[in-house]
Amino acid sequence: MAEIPVPQHMTAEEFRRQGRAAVDWIADYWERVESLPVLSRAEPGQVRGQLPAAPPEVGESFDAVLADLDAIVVPGLTHWQHPGFFAYFPTSTSGPAVLAELLAAGLGVQGMLWQTSPACTEVEQHVLDWLAGMLALPEKFTFAGTGGGVIQDSASSAILVVLVAALHRASGGQVGREGVERGRYAVYTSTQANSSLEKGVRISGLGASSVRFIDTRPDLSMDPDALRSAMKEDVAQGIIPVMVMATVGTTSTGAVDPVEPIGRTCREYGAWLHVDAAYVGVAAVCPEFRWIHHGVDAYADSYATNPHKWMLTAFDCDACYVADRESLVGALSVLPEYLRNSATDSGAVIDYRDWQVPLGRRFRALKLWAVIRCYGVEGLRTHFRHSVALAQQFAAWVGADERFELMAPHPLSLVCFRLRGPDEPNQRLLDALNASGRVYLSHTVVRGAFTLRLAIGGTATRYEHVAAAWDDISRIAAGE
């Protein structure tokens, strides 16, 4: 018999040494990230050009990997943990989240079934019930009620799975058996909603033509009257309203759709109501911000928010809740013989494979559990209140400068503003700011006008960073 080759793995002692080096590298990165240009200055192909054409035949030391992080990777990054990162929405991470990710990777469990790792499932159930309580969400979204929570990778996946559940409910399961009948169903959302809904509609097989984009009110939130008119017209033509997505904190301006009147219309026409609160939903940990959820208790069939944006939990972590878990499981459950087991057959456990698109799933709940435990509810409230206070200070500076105008309400941590006048000076201002390396802002279009967005929520962002950003904006606008 030929000798069986023995693979060479990192020993426990070597792992300890290199693990300490990796943690030190991350800590050093966090300490020095402010000195780096926020927006990457890499040219297309520059990173790949520094990588060898072929992989090594003989394994290298992990020291070489860390060295190339500094030499190749870091210069090719846009630094999302930089205190001057104000673009899009932050994906703020933290020490507890990173350490929990390390632990999850080390455990290496696959939580597709309860049986494949009971703790992976039950910690997730429990921590999502915790979060529901922290956000003052209704009991129907917890495992004490008729629904429950599941961690998706992002709000996009949450939208897709609840859309499939809504189709399952609206069709009595027919869609799952026979596919989508073209032109039979319609989905509704605001013109300001995230593009993820349209992508989800395409993936589901409904087709983009099934989406009705509803006009907004002056504050850029969905117009409930326009929604009702659109649904009434569709029903008159024999089209079934399957789902409405209300947005609590739109990506463009942070507008909050009026969930209660939207919900009344959904109930009238039998449509599923999904509330997408991807960025701002977590702010409801603070009682004074819970107004954003008005109407969710009475009318929402599903709800999602992203702890990986503002709640210090490393990407990816979307908390997705449904009020009726049977609709979701009924839509997504496929049980081949090789997955059958006594725990599943008993009906006493949750198998999260039935709550998501992929079969496999990793232990994402560990980082959310660690963040909540290490910060505590009060620590998280302090983080949210700090971000909101900084945004209100920035908005006050903008509002006091007659050269600028505020373009949308700013009750939380996003401020939309611009120089008065044509678009071109605003584009030049944005380009100059982002080229400085000190800050990074993104833009949108509000009522036809090019508008700058400054979103606050990063772990390391403090008053001095926001003040420096305003100083740069004011100075560049003055032509200095």
Side-chain angles (χ1 to χ4, degrees), residues 159-160 162-168 170-171 175 179-188 197-212 239-244:
I159 291 167
L160 177 59
V162 300
L163 174 57
V164 173
L167 279 166
H168 178 82
S171 69
V175 166
V180 179
E181 182 181 344
R182 186 173 179 83
R184 181 170 173 77
Y185 302 102
V187 177
Y188 309 80
L197 177 66
E198 184 173 346
K199 180 178 284 190
V201 165
R202 293 182 184 186
I203 294 169
S204 73
L206 284 172
S209 62
S210 68
V211 183
R212 311 291 189 260
I239 297 170
I240 298 172
V242 65
M243 191 179 89
V244 176

Side-chain angles (χ1 to χ4, degrees), residues 79-432:
H79 299 285
W80 286 68
Q81 305 311 312
H82 193 292
F85 186 99
F86 300 115
Y88 309 110
F89 286 124
T91 57
S92 53
T93 191
S94 63
V98 171
L99 292 175
E101 282 276 69
L102 174 62
L103 293 170
L107 291 170
V109 301
Q110 218 279 43
M112 59 185 177
L113 301 168
W114 178 88
Q115 179 170 278
T116 59
S117 282
C120 185
T121 295
E122 295 192 16
V123 168
E124 183 162 337
Q125 290 180 264
H126 203 74
V127 77
L128 287 174
D129 276 359
W130 272 4
L131 182 60
M134 291 162 61
L135 301 177
L137 293 176
E139 186 181 80
K140 66 183 180 182
F141 285 143
T142 72
F143 288 97
T146 56
V150 56
I151 296 178
Q152 306 287 353
D153 54 10
S154 65
S156 301
S157 291
I159 291 167
L160 177 59
V161 297
V162 300
L163 174 57
V164 173
L167 279 166
H168 178 82
R169 187 179 77 175
S171 69
Q174 180 179 345
V175 166
R177 294 188 300 270
E178 302 174 12
V180 179
E181 182 181 344
R182 186 173 179 83
R184 181 170 173 77
Y185 302 102
V187 177
Y188 309 80
T189 196
S190 157
T191 57
Q192 300 296 303
N194 191 278
S195 60
S196 297
L197 177 66
E198 184 173 346
K199 180 178 284 190
V201 165
R202 293 182 184 186
I203 294 169
S204 73
L206 284 172
S209 62
S210 68
V211 183
R212 311 291 189 260
F213 291 103
I214 307 302
D215 289 337
T216 58
R217 304 183 297 185
D219 66 356
L220 300 174
S221 66
M222 188 192 295
D223 183 343
D225 294 332
L227 171 67
R228 192 178 188 283
S229 296
M231 296 177 81
K232 182 178 181 181
E233 182 178 340
D234 278 335
V235 169
Q237 296 179 18
I239 297 170
I240 298 172
V242 65
M243 191 179 89
V244 176
M245 187 178 85
T247 306
V248 172
T250 61
T251 302
S252 183
T253 66
V256 175
D257 288 343
V259 173
E260 186 170 37
I262 290 171
R264 287 197 297 267
T265 298
C266 288
R267 185 159 296 176
E268 179 181 354
Y269 288 99
W272 182 292
L273 175 58
H274 176 61
V275 176
D276 175 26
Y279 178 56
V280 305
V282 293
V285 170
C286 302
E288 66 269 30
F289 300 139
R290 288 179 183 160
W291 59 268
I292 63 176
H293 287 160
H294 185 65
V296 169
D297 191 344
Y299 295 105
D301 293 287
S302 55
Y303 171 94
T305 188
N306 289 348
H308 69 232
K309 281 191 167 75
W310 196 2
M311 198 172 141
L312 305 167
T313 306
F315 189 85
D316 53 356
C317 182
D318 168 271
C320 175
Y321 294 92
V322 291
D324 174 17
R325 55 182 174 263
E326 294 305 318
S327 291
L328 183 63
V329 172
L332 296 177
S333 180
V334 178
L335 184 58
E337 183 61 34
Y338 53 78
L339 292 179
R340 291 188 178 277
N341 62 87
S342 58
T344 295
D345 291 343
S346 74
V349 301
I350 293 295
D351 288 333
Y352 271 131
R353 69 182 182 87
D354 296 330
W355 293 54
Q356 60 177 22
V357 173
L359 172 62
R361 67 192 335 265
R362 57 195 181 86
F363 203 166
R364 291 190 188 97
L366 206 56
K367 60 190 172 188
L368 183 57
W369 188 47
V371 166
I372 293 173
R373 291 186 63 182
C374 292
Y375 280 92
V377 176
E378 278 303 320
L380 293 170
R381 285 175 178 157
T382 299
H383 173 64
F384 298 135
R385 287 167 176 156
H386 176 252
S387 299
V388 173
L390 293 180
Q392 299 315 304
Q393 177 60 77
F394 180 83
W397 289 329
V398 173
D401 191 320
E402 61 183 13
R403 297 172 298 172
F404 291 89
E405 57 182 331
L406 293 164
M407 295 298 290
H410 47 84
L412 294 168
S413 62
L414 171 64
V415 181
C416 295
F417 67 103
R418 71 191 303 275
L419 285 164
R420 298 181 186 275
D423 285 347
E424 290 76 9
N426 285 283
Q427 179 71 72
R428 290 196 298 269
L429 172 59
L430 181 66
D431 292 343

Side-chain angles (χ1 to χ4, degrees), residues 1-8:
M1 179 178 175
E3 184 178 351
I4 298 174
V6 178
Q8 297 299 307

